[in-house]
Amino acid sequence: MGKVIGIDLGTTNSCVTIVDGTNAKGEPEVTVIPNAEGARTTPSIVAFTAKGERLVGQVAKRQATTNPENTVHAVKRLMGQKVDLPEVQKQTASVSYEIVPHTNGDAWVKVQDRLMSPPEISSMILLQMKEIAETYLGEKIEEAIVTVPAYFDDAQRQATKDAGAIAGLTIKRILNEPTAAALAYGLDKRQAEKIAVYDLGGGTFDISVLEIAGGVFNVKATGGDTHLGGEDFDVRLIDKLADEFKKVHGVDLRKDRMSLQRLREAAEKAKHELSSSLQTEINIPFIATGPTGPLHLERALKRSELEILTKDLIQRTIDACQAVMKEAGLSQRDIDQVVLVGGMTRMPAVQKAVRVLFGKDPNKGVNPDEVVAVGAAIQGAALTGQIDEVLLLDVTPLSIGVETGGGVFTRLIPRSTTVPTEKSEVFTTSMDNQPFVPIHVLQGEREMAGDNRSLARFELTGIPPAPRGVPKIKVSFRVDANGILSVQATDLGTNRSQSVSVTPASGLSQAEVDSLVREGEQFKEADELRRELAELKNQAETLIYTTEQALEAYADLLPPEKVDGVRDGVATLKVMLESGADLASIRDCYASLENATYEIAEAMYGGENDKGAAS
Ligand code: ADP
Ligand code: MG
């Protein structure tokens, strides 16, 4: 079996890992794989340049200021989401790229007149992580464990799975991030412990309470907010700075995409610095032009200012923690360990709030940026048998049910049910000779179906004519270990499995995924062609240079018709390079010039030489 990598596909940063082997105690040794630039995490940013190139990671981040409309960040927040959700609307207002509705209402991204689904963009990040691992390991990688926030619903998980498929990666398991963090933290813990995993990243907040005992990871409760993270902290700072600037200069920096992007970078940098110092300088020269010339933004910022601006955001995480504790039936004192995950937990005010809530110092043994990916690699090693199996008892984040009479939501699988799980329900017809039964599956906690998230509509078809209430069709709802729902139906009368035609409420169809996979392969081919062409051009330029040098030095030693032939060859190749000729023509022309130059060499040295030795 090939190697299985672990990928933390983060909103802001992604991280890839692999289990290299085991130590003397049989514990996995995990390597965090550095990218080409030597960094252990890679920004989850994809950019499209005017030249048609696709950039991923640090290179994409670096050019964001000059190419804001075509630089997509935080796409994870759009995965499996509808465009009309208030949170998506908020994101639409705050990012510099365009978010548009797809025909089914899903939030898509529009770049350079091309519509792209969030899974497609995510697949580019996954592909980059895959390539980082392949370069490091020197072998092809086909399988991965990918993590998602525990709070991700079925549509969001499905979207993540689609992203893997488009990237040519089989996602062997979709693992909840807090469970992964617990895995990284607690494999060697033999005595039973209850741990709280507090994960505040760039775009999502997760809190989970788990119990670890003898290799069994039991998720007691999980909660959080898929739309609360470091970016919200940045936005607070951006708004504050932009409001002040507007008051003084009458210019709204948020209206200009370039200024907004620069402001965002400066705000995030200031936030980072305030984690280690009490005060920092914000300095953005030439951020705008006023009536009297260029305007600059200069300001000192104190840690306390940031803390005041973001107090309620931190409080929201604490409220979510309390709700989850309550659900788990635990008090703060019951928690043995608090594990901090996510870059935002470097903020002192966050650490303090967590310490006050749990009445103890958070565990410092794990790196908050890498711990999730480390756990993913461990899960991969457990699945391939490289290390002992670990038992992960994850739970469903939200109830799954169906719509029944009067638009009521009837729960079939309540939230916090351990997965995998299966629940069956018998459906029948409500009219005589009814040929099909429509079923609407939803996910959420509200009492009315309309207030919950629609996952899919099913139609049980081909029901033979019968009086109402007579047909009995058993429908099984299965949530697998990835938290993804599948449905199967059996006609109890005939014991035959019933056909289920699915119209997912969101996401990509299999046909769409397939076509994106093909497109990705074409892109790869086009990429390879482009690279080959660039290399050939480079070689050709070198050949032209060395030939011209040789002609200059030795032309008078050669027969004039040879010299003319070589000169012609050089001229033709030059024209080809300038006119953007295709690979094959350049290659032919290159080859014939190369031959001609060999003849020069031959004429100079080879006259008396044995021909056999020269070839
Ligand atoms: P995600 O899991 O969403 O990809 P990360 O765990 O990488 O996110 O966290 C990214 C967030 O952490 C960003 O909002 C970033 O600004 C913030 N962050 C990173 N380092 C620091 C720091 N030293 N102080 C405060 N915030 C930080
Ligand atoms: Mg994260």
Side-chain angles (χ1 to χ4, degrees), residues 47 81 123 187 224 288 302 346 349 429 527:
Q81 299 288 36
S123 79
L187 256 196
K302 288 205 184 75
R346 292 228 168 87
T429 50
D527 256 5

Side-chain angles (χ1 to χ4, degrees), residues 8-11 13 76 147 177 199-202 204 341-343 368-369 372:
D8 171 7
L9 181 61
T11 311
N13 298 299
K76 184 174 175 180
T147 58
E177 288 162 10
D199 178 352
L200 189 57
T204 52
V341 183
D369 301 321
V372 167

Side-chain angles (χ1 to χ4, degrees), residues 399 408-411 443-452:
S399 303
V408 170
F409 177 62
T410 303
R411 282 177 178 72
Q443 189 163 29
E445 303 313 315
R446 304 282 294 273
E447 294 312 313
M448 298 307 290
D451 295 327
N452 288 322

Side-chain angles (χ1 to χ4, degrees), residues 10-13 201-203 230-231 268 271-272 275 342-344 346-347:
T11 311
T12 326
N13 298 299
E231 291 206 352
E268 190 183 10
K271 179 185 74 174
H272 289 193
S275 288
M344 269 315 299
R346 292 228 168 87
M347 182 173 173

Side-chain angles (χ1 to χ4, degrees), residues 173 175 178-180 182-184 186-187 189-190 210-220 375 378-383 387-395 418-420 481:
R173 182 64 55 85
L175 185 60
T179 312
L183 255 180
L187 256 196
K189 304 291 176 292
R190 286 288 156 247
L210 302 95
E211 196 169 46
I212 314 181
V216 178
F217 289 68
N218 200 346
V219 180
K220 290 294 190 195
I378 293 172
Q379 169 70 11
L383 287 181
I387 58 166
D388 283 350
E389 209 178 326
V390 283
L391 193 54
L392 300 178
L393 301 174
D394 261 322
V395 296
T418 303
V419 292

Side-chain angles (χ1 to χ4, degrees), residues 532-559:
E532 236 177 284
L533 187 62
E535 275 167 17
L536 182 62
K537 276 185 170 167
N538 188 43
Q539 282 175 10
E541 274 156 13
T542 313
L543 182 66
I544 289 172
Y545 177 78
T546 51
T547 311
E548 283 177 336
Q549 298 281 307
L551 280 177
E552 214 165 283
Y554 308 114
D556 44 356
L557 301 178
L558 297 169

